[in-house]
Amino acid sequence: MNKFTIVAASAVFAMPAFAEDWDMPTPYGDSTFHTQNISQFAKDVSAATNGDLNITIHSAGSLFPHGEIKNAVRSRQVPLGEFFLSTLSNEDAAYGVDSQPFVATSYEDAAKLWSAQKPVITELLAEQGLMPLFSVPWPAQGLYTKNEITAVEQLNGLRFRAYNAALEEFAALAGAAPVQVEAPDIPQAFSTGQVDAMITSPSTGANSKAWDFVSNYNAIDAWVPKNIVVVNKRMFDGLSAETQQAVLDAAQAAETRGWEMSAEEATAKTAVMADNGMTISTPTDALKSGLQAIGATMLETWNAKASDAAKSIIATYNQ
Ligand code: PCA
C-alpha cells in the first residue's frame, strides 16, 4: 500500500457506517425566517450525529411544489418536509383552525391553540404514516392594499391573493376575487396585475418588497397561522436510536427558536415596511367589526365541517 491508498482507506473507515442524506423541501425562500430556522435545525442534526444524518434544504418550492410536499413525504420521495399547515384543511378541518379569523390573534393564544391542536393532528397525520416534528407560526396576518381601507366594503371587487382555502373564503365573503399565489410569486402577481391586495405577515410583506406595489399595511392581526415540519414515520424509525433522539432534540429547539424568531420578525419587518415608505395603520372600528362578521360566518362554516375531534380543539382552547 502506498501513502495515498492508506489515506484513502482511512478516510473511508472514518466515515459513519450508515451516513444518511435527507432532502427537505420547503415552499418558502431562503430569506424567510422559517427557512433560516430549518437550516439551523439541519445544522444541529448534522452536528449532533457527527454527520450521520445530513439534511439538505430545498427552498422556494424548488424540489416539489407546495401542494405536493405532504404527499412527497407520505410516499417517501423525501423523508421530511415543511409546508403551511392549514393547506391540509381540505382533508380535515382540524388542520385549518389556526387560519380562522380572530380565533387566536396573539402568540400567547396561538401557543394555546397549538397545544390543543397538536394531539388531534398528530393522530390524523399518523394515519398517513407521518409524524410532526415541529410547528412555527408566522407573525399575525395583516392587510396590504393600494388605498387606505377603513371598512370591509372597500375590499369589494379587488383581486385578492390567497394562500389557502380559508383566505379564499374570506376574500369571497368580502366581495373580492381570490387568486391562489405562492409566496415566492407574490411580486410577479402584483406587477402583472393578477392581484391588487393581500393578507399576509409583515415577514412575507417585507420579503416580497410590498412597497413596490402597495402603499398601505393595516395590522388587522387577524390570525397566526403556522408552518409544520413532518417526517415519514418509517424513515424516522429506520434511524438509530441516537439519531432519532438527535432529530427530536433539534426539532424541539427549532420550535422554541422559531416562535422567538417569529415574534422578532413581527416588529422588525413592520419597521422595514415603514422605512420603505408604507403607511402602517391599525383597523378602524368599522373595519374591525366588518372583519369580525366575516370571521363569525367562517367559523360557522368551519364548525359545520369539523369532526368531533376538530371541534374538541376549540373546546380545549376555550377552557
Ligand atoms: N406568509 C405565507 C404564509 C403566511 C405568511 O405570513 C404566505 O403569505 O404565503
Side-chain angles (χ1 to χ4, degrees), residues 28 84 138-139 141 161 163 181-183 186 199-201 204 225:
Y28 305 103
F84 194 53
W138 293 87
Q141 307 288 292
R161 182 254 167 170
Y163 52 52
V181 177
E182 286 300 323
I186 290 172
I199 287 181
T200 187
S201 60
T204 299

Side-chain angles (χ1 to χ4, degrees), residues 12 34 41 48 81 84 90 138 168 210 212 250 255 267 277 280 292 304:
V12 167
H34 287 283
F41 162 74
F84 194 53
N90 60 330
W138 293 87
E168 268 187 22
D212 286 345
E255 183 155 302
T267 329
I280 313 292
Q292 274 159 358

Side-chain angles (χ1 to χ4, degrees), residues 21 32 111 113 148 153 187 242 249 259 262 319:
D21 289 310
T32 308
L113 187 61
E148 198 188 337
E153 290 70 28
E242 298 78 48
D249 290 347
W259 283 69
S262 183
Q319 263 167 24

Side-chain angles (χ1 to χ4, degrees), residues 51-267:
D52 275 0
L53 179 57
N54 293 298
I55 297 172
T56 304
I57 311 290
H58 299 268
S59 62
S62 55
L63 192 58
F64 287 98
H66 193 172
E68 290 174 23
I69 292 177
K70 192 267 288 177
N71 282 336
V73 180
R74 185 180 183 181
S75 60
R76 285 181 286 134
Q77 292 178 77
V78 282
L80 80 177
E82 181 183 44
F83 54 88
F84 194 53
L85 178 58
S86 55
T87 54
L88 303 188
S89 67
N90 60 330
E91 295 184 17
D92 195 296
Y95 293 116
V97 69
D98 68 11
S99 294
Q100 288 297 311
F102 306 111
V103 170
T105 60
S106 66
Y107 284 106
E108 206 188 335
D109 285 350
K112 226 176 128 192
L113 187 61
W114 174 224
S115 8
Q117 185 188 27
K118 189 178 177 180
V120 176
I121 65 146
T122 298
E123 214 168 286
L124 290 171
L125 289 168
E127 287 166 15
Q128 303 191 24
L130 300 170
M131 181 174 89
L133 285 177
F134 58 94
S135 182
V136 170
W138 293 87
Q141 307 288 292
L143 177 63
Y144 298 72
T145 52
K146 295 184 198 279
N147 302 316
E148 198 188 337
I149 301 291
T150 53
V152 121
E153 290 70 28
Q154 292 160 334
L155 300 177
N156 212 295
L158 294 182
R159 279 173 301 241
F160 215 92
R161 182 254 167 170
Y163 52 52
N164 66 6
L167 198 39
E168 268 187 22
E169 188 186 355
F170 173 93
L173 287 167
V179 183
Q180 285 288 341
V181 177
E182 286 300 323
D185 304 327
I186 290 172
Q188 204 195 343
F190 274 94
S191 68
T192 56
Q194 242 190 309
V195 295
D196 32 36
M198 66 177 171
I199 287 181
T200 187
S201 60
S203 299
T204 299
N207 286 349
S208 357
K209 296 192 169 31
W211 47 86
D212 286 345
F213 39 84
V214 290
S215 38
N216 292 273
Y217 175 70
N218 196 314
I220 59 170
D221 290 354
W223 58 92
V224 181
K226 297 180 298 293
N227 279 1
I228 192 161
V229 171
V230 301
V231 65
N232 183 287
K233 189 65 169 52
R234 259 176 77 186
M235 305 273 316
F236 179 82
D237 289 344
L239 299 171
S240 72
E242 298 78 48
T243 301
Q244 287 183 10
Q245 196 53 50
V247 170
L248 295 177
D249 290 347
Q252 178 148 31
E255 183 155 302
T256 306
R257 183 177 58 238
W259 283 69
E260 284 162 7
M261 288 172 94
S262 183
E264 282 160 22
E265 283 272 312
T267 329

